[in-house]
Amino acid sequence: MSPDPDRPRERGRRLSAARVLDIDPLLEDPKTRIVVCCGSGGVGKTTTAAALGLRAAERGRKVVVLTIDPARRLAQSMGIDSLDNTPRRVKGVDDSAGGELHAMMLDMKRTFDEIVEAHADPDRAAAILGNPFYQSLSAGFAGTQEYMAMEKLGQLRAKDEWDLIVVDTPPSRSALDFLDAPKRLGSFLDGRLIRVLLTPAKVGGRAGMKFLNVGMSMMTGVLGKVLGGPFLKDVQTFVAAMDSMFGGFRTRADATYKLLQAPGTAFLVVAAPERDALREAAYFVERLAADNMPLAGLVLNRVHGSGADGLSAERAVAAAENLEDARIVDQDDGKAGGRTLPPDNSPDAHGISDSDGIEAPDAAETPEQSVDRITAGLLRLHAERMHLLAREQRTRDRFTARHPEVAVTEVAALPGDVHDLAGLRDIGARLASDRTELPEPGA
C-alpha cells in the first residue's frame, strides 16, 4: 500500500530528516553570552525571545531580553506596565536556581542621545542634540533602528553585568537589513559626503578660504538647490559638531559586527511553516553562513498538529460524502433538509457557525440525521486540517532538504496569544524539546 500523501508523519518523526535543535544546553552553557532571534515579521520572534529568556533565568542565569518590538507585547506578557531603554526586573520568575530576568525595549532616539552624551563634551553634546538635522537622523534615518539595536547590544555586553543577552531583532522588509545596518550607517557617518562637508572646517588660512570660495561655493550651491539652504546649513552645523565622533561610529560598528561573529553568540532563525517565511529563513541562513555568523538553528513556530492523523483527508471526505448521500436519500423531496446559517458567520444557539462547514439543525430532521450532519461536517473539518498539515510538512521538507545542516525545533501552534509568564513558560518547554509527551493545543 502506497503512503497517503496527505497523512502527516507522526510528531516523533517530523524532524527525522533534520538535526534536532536542543535548546537547554545552549541556554545553560556559560559560554553562551548572546542569543539573537531573527527572521521575517509576524513569525513570533518577540515571544520566542521572551520564552528563551525566561527559561534561561529559571535555570540560574542572569538574563536581559532586549526587544525592538513597539507593540509592547513583551511587557504585557511579563506583567510590566511598560518597557524603556533601561532593563527592568521581571517579577514572578522562579529564582530558586539563582537566576534573574530583566527586560527592556529599545528607545532608538534615546540610545543615539546616549552615544552623543558619552562621546562629546557637554557644550558640543548640547549643540548636537539641539540640531534639527540630528533630530531627524536620530528619529528616523533608514537603518538607524537596526544600528541602535547593535549599539545597545554592545553597551550591554561591555558592562559584563549579564550572563545572557537575548535580542529580539527589528522586523524588516528584508531580514538581511539587520546585518547590513551597522556598516551602512557607519559608512554614511564616515562617508565621502560627510568628509566633504567637513573640509571647510579643517582647511585653514588663505588656502582654506580659496578652497571655500572656489570649490565649496559651487558644491553648496548645488546642494542648497537640492536640499534647501536651511537644511544644508543644519547638516553642516551637525557635521562640524560631530567631527570628533564620526570615527567612533565606524569603530563601534566594526566591533559589534565582530561581536556577532565571536564564540558565545548564537543566532536563532525564527520562522513559521509557511512558504514565504521559510524562504526568508533560508536567505538568512545562507547570509549568516556567508558572513561567518554562528547559527544555532531554526525555530519553526506555530506548527499545526492533530491527535487523529491516522484518518487521512481522502478517507474523511469519502466518509462525509457517504453520510451526506444517505441523508439526501432519506429526504422526501430528494434534498437535504438542513439549513445553513446566514453569511455573516454568526454562531447559532449550538455555537456552530457556517464557516465551520457544518449545517445548522433543521426542525424536521431525525436525531440520526442530525448526528450524520454534524459528523459529516466534522469529517470535512478534519480533512481540511490534514491538508494543512500535509502542506506544512512539504514546506518543512523543502527547507530541510536545502539546509540539512541546520538543527530545527518545532513549537506547536497555540489556540490564542501568549499574555503571561505561564504562557511563556509553556512556549519555553515546547522550544526545548520535540517530545511527544508535550500535549498538543486542545488535547
Side-chain angles (χ1 to χ4, degrees), residues 338-342 344-363 365 370 373-374:
R339 62 178 175 85
T340 57
L341 287 172
D344 64 355
N345 294 332
S346 58
D348 64 9
H350 299 272
I352 301 173
S353 68
D354 65 338
S355 61
D356 292 326
I358 303 175
E359 292 180 351
D362 188 281
E365 72 180 2
S370 178
R373 173 182 51 76
I374 294 174

Side-chain angles (χ1 to χ4, degrees), residues 19-214:
R19 296 169 50 214
V20 176
L21 173 62
D22 201 348
I23 288 290
D24 282 345
L26 176 70
L27 297 180
E28 295 170 359
D29 187 351
K31 295 180 181 178
T32 303
R33 303 298 302 275
I34 298 171
V35 171
V36 181
C37 296
C38 51
S40 56
V43 295
K45 292 196 306 294
T46 300
T47 300
T48 298
L52 290 170
L54 176 61
R55 191 167 182 85
E58 294 188 333
R59 275 156 179 72
R61 306 198 72 186
K62 187 175 181 181
V63 184
V64 60
V65 178
L66 169 63
T67 184
I68 322 296
D69 187 354
R72 303 185 184 275
R73 289 172 297 178
L74 180 62
Q76 295 168 0
S77 65
M78 292 183 169
I80 300 175
D81 292 335
S82 64
L83 293 176
D84 55 23
N85 224 35
T86 302
R88 297 180 181 274
R89 186 164 183 174
V90 179
K91 299 178 181 179
V93 175
D94 180 0
D95 58 2
S96 58
E100 297 179 10
L101 178 61
H102 300 248
M104 61 185 298
M105 186 176 74
L106 178 74
D107 183 330
M108 180 176 65
K109 187 178 187 312
R110 181 58 200 149
T111 301
F112 211 151
D113 291 350
E114 290 172 355
I115 297 170
V116 172
E117 292 167 350
H119 295 89
D121 61 70
D123 291 341
R124 180 168 292 190
I128 295 171
L129 296 177
N131 182 272
F133 177 73
Y134 167 79
Q135 292 171 359
S136 298
L137 175 71
S138 60
F141 187 81
T144 302
Q145 185 183 50
E146 289 87 349
Y147 179 87
M148 291 306 150
M150 291 299 89
E151 279 277 0
K152 182 55 68 175
L153 171 60
Q155 292 174 11
L156 292 171
R157 185 66 182 86
K159 291 181 179 178
D160 205 25
E161 181 179 353
W162 314 97
D163 298 332
L164 178 65
I165 304 167
V166 182
V167 183
D168 166 35
T169 59
S172 303
R173 182 179 305 174
S174 170
L176 306 182
D177 290 347
F178 175 69
L179 294 176
D180 290 333
K183 285 189 174 181
R184 188 169 61 244
L185 187 61
S187 296
F188 167 76
L189 293 175
D190 194 29
R192 181 176 299 176
L193 175 62
I194 297 298
R195 292 198 302 271
V196 169
L197 292 174
L198 274 172
T199 301
K202 291 184 175 180
V203 178
R206 294 181 179 179
M209 290 301 297
K210 182 178 180 180
F211 175 86
L212 180 64
N213 290 336
V214 177

Side-chain angles (χ1 to χ4, degrees), residues 131-133 223-224 227-237:
N131 182 272
F133 177 73
L223 289 177
L227 303 176
F231 179 78
L232 179 59
K233 184 174 180 58
D234 290 338
V235 173
Q236 290 175 317
T237 303

Side-chain angles (χ1 to χ4, degrees), residues 211-277:
F211 175 86
L212 180 64
N213 290 336
V214 177
M216 285 302 296
S217 60
M218 293 177 60
M219 188 201 73
T220 54
V222 173
L223 289 177
K225 291 178 180 179
V226 175
L227 303 176
F231 179 78
L232 179 59
K233 184 174 180 58
D234 290 338
V235 173
Q236 290 175 317
T237 303
F238 163 77
V239 167
M242 289 279 285
D243 180 13
S244 62
M245 297 179 56
F246 285 127
F249 282 99
R250 172 62 67 85
T251 300
R252 287 193 302 276
D254 291 343
T256 303
Y257 200 78
K258 291 178 181 178
L259 178 64
L260 293 175
Q261 294 175 316
T265 297
F267 280 83
L268 287 174
V269 178
V270 184
E274 301 165 359
R275 184 179 60 182
D276 290 344

Side-chain angles (χ1 to χ4, degrees), residues 305-378:
S306 173
D309 56 8
L311 178 61
S312 70
E314 283 74 12
R315 290 171 58 196
V317 171
E321 289 175 347
N322 288 337
L323 289 171
E324 291 164 347
D325 288 345
R327 289 185 62 227
I328 291 174
V329 171
D330 289 340
Q331 299 300 320
D332 293 337
D333 58 0
K335 297 181 180 179
R339 62 178 175 85
T340 57
L341 287 172
D344 64 355
N345 294 332
S346 58
D348 64 9
H350 299 272
I352 301 173
S353 68
D354 65 338
S355 61
D356 292 326
I358 303 175
E359 292 180 351
D362 188 281
E365 72 180 2
T366 66
E368 291 80 6
Q369 291 171 333
S370 178
V371 170
D372 287 350
R373 173 182 51 76
I374 294 174
T375 303
L378 292 174

